[in-house]
Amino acid sequence: MTLPPGTPDLDVLDLLVSVAELGSLGAAARRHGISQPAASMRIKALERRLRLRLLDRGPTGSVLTDPGRSVVGHARLVLEAARAFSAGVAALHAADVPRLRVAASKTIADHRIPQWLNALRVSCPEVAVSLEVDNTRHVEALVREGAADIGFVEGPHPPHGLGSRVLGADELVVVVGPAHPWARRRKPVTLRELATTPLLWREPGSGTRDTVWEILGAECQPAQPAAELGSAVAISAAARAAVAPAVLSRLIAAADLTSGALIEVRVAEPVVLSRKFRAIWRRQSPPSGPAGMLAEHAARLESHGARHW
């Protein structure tokens, strides 16, 4: 079925609707980015094509005639259908865009994911990435539930029931504020001292908490927390205020250590405070495509970075 002769273009119908909405040819012309004489010529051409007078033009503006109001009503339906058509085509294009759902623990999201995603964008610029940030336990849950194609977590052990790959290690440091008594001590703190001292802790489910708790628990039952805080930023602030010592990723503490806002407390050897960064995935769906490439970029960048630590 072909369109009948005299069917107007969508652009001029849109212009006519704008005249109806704004009350003048000049305002409609500005909306459409054309001059007023050009707008007037297009409306006159539409009137000739339809053989109807659509506007009464006067010094104070343009008023729709009765036929003009009817044409505007029909035009709105046509334009609505055209917009729905365009949205449908756009949705078809969007469906063809490769998508990657990533979940990452907070430390990794803040200090590692930007570099990893930048490397992925260089090799796969067409991939649309969404990132969910939470603590390690919740990231593991997102991967198990299939809400994320790949996850990145830190902790002492691989998560149960998931595939994983170690990407690198993250050094942990004991820090205090300048006003804390430990800031002036010369003797390294022992593992037992650290274990029996109330510390600033992340919330349950944090990879940092799990790692430190396991290390301290090998010596004795750790003391009750001085406070449980939901972010490393909050822990850093509390440590700077000398509320209690904290164990933080060096990545997080670096700026405050450089400025002197935090003081690093040496730990007696042979204790090594560190945790592993891992990529995780559902065992039945090993990472491939963009997810696999992201894991490879992460492993490569971590390996490169490790040589400079």
Side-chain angles (χ1 to χ4, degrees):
M1 178 179 179
T2 59
L3 290 173
T7 301
D9 295 332
L10 294 176
D11 287 345
V12 72
L13 292 180
D14 198 19
L15 178 62
L16 179 65
V17 170
S18 292
V19 174
E21 292 175 349
L22 300 176
S24 76
L25 271 169
R30 287 190 293 274
R31 173 186 280 182
H32 290 262
I34 59 177
S35 66
Q36 182 170 341
S40 180
M41 289 177 59
R42 293 182 187 183
I43 295 297
K44 288 178 179 178
L46 177 62
E47 289 177 321
R48 289 194 298 272
R49 174 172 285 189
L50 298 179
R51 292 182 296 167
L52 293 169
R53 187 165 59 86
L54 304 176
L55 296 178
D56 281 331
R57 299 163 177 83
T60 59
S62 299
V63 180
L64 290 168
T65 63
D66 288 341
R69 281 189 288 272
S70 295
V71 170
V72 165
H74 293 304
R76 285 196 169 107
L77 295 175
V78 172
L79 294 171
E80 183 179 344
R83 293 187 185 100
F85 171 80
S86 296
V89 172
L92 292 174
H93 285 292
D96 290 336
V97 174
R99 298 185 180 277
L100 177 61
R101 300 168 302 165
V102 180
S105 63
K106 295 176 182 178
T107 301
I108 294 176
D110 289 342
H111 297 277
R112 286 294 189 259
I113 284 289
Q115 297 95 316
W116 300 348
L117 290 182
N118 186 56
L120 179 67
R121 183 166 295 278
V122 171
S123 58
C124 297
E126 74 282 2
V127 175
V129 178
S130 62
L131 174 64
E132 185 81 17
V133 181
D134 214 315
N135 65 33
T136 289
R137 194 171 300 170
H138 284 109
V139 170
E140 292 172 3
L142 289 170
V143 173
R144 284 193 180 93
E145 294 162 3
D149 302 309
I150 191 168
F152 297 97
V153 296
E154 70 266 355
H157 303 295
H160 177 70
L162 294 175
S164 67
R165 173 182 180 178
V166 174
L167 302 173
D170 179 32
E171 183 184 4
L172 301 175
V173 291
V174 180
V175 296
V176 294
H180 192 277
W182 283 9
R184 295 178 295 279
R185 69 180 287 161
R186 296 182 178 180
K187 185 179 179 181
V189 65
T190 66
L191 190 61
R192 178 168 288 275
E193 281 184 283
L194 197 59
T196 56
T197 299
L199 304 175
L200 299 169
W201 290 90
R202 281 282 304 278
E203 79 286 355
S206 158
T208 305
R209 178 179 177 131
D210 290 346
T211 299
V212 177
W213 193 272
E214 180 172 300
I215 293 171
L216 298 184
E219 181 68 21
C220 63
Q221 177 65 28
Q224 289 297 311
E228 291 182 330
L229 303 172
S231 73
V233 172
I235 289 180
S236 296
R240 289 195 298 269
V243 172
V247 182
L248 292 172
S249 165
R250 188 175 290 279
L251 295 171
I252 294 169
D256 282 335
L257 291 173
T258 300
S259 69
L262 287 175
I263 306 298
E264 181 178 352
V265 180
R266 291 187 299 124
V267 179
E269 296 181 354
V271 178
V272 177
L273 294 176
S274 68
R275 59 184 177 176
K276 293 181 173 65
F277 286 161
R278 286 183 171 86
I280 61 172
W281 57 85
R282 284 168 290 160
R283 286 179 176 169
Q284 65 271 30
S285 303
S288 60
M293 295 186 70
L294 180 59
E296 290 297 329
H297 286 308
R300 175 178 58 80
L301 289 170
E302 288 304 297
S303 174
H304 177 77
R307 294 195 293 269
H308 295 83
W309 293 342

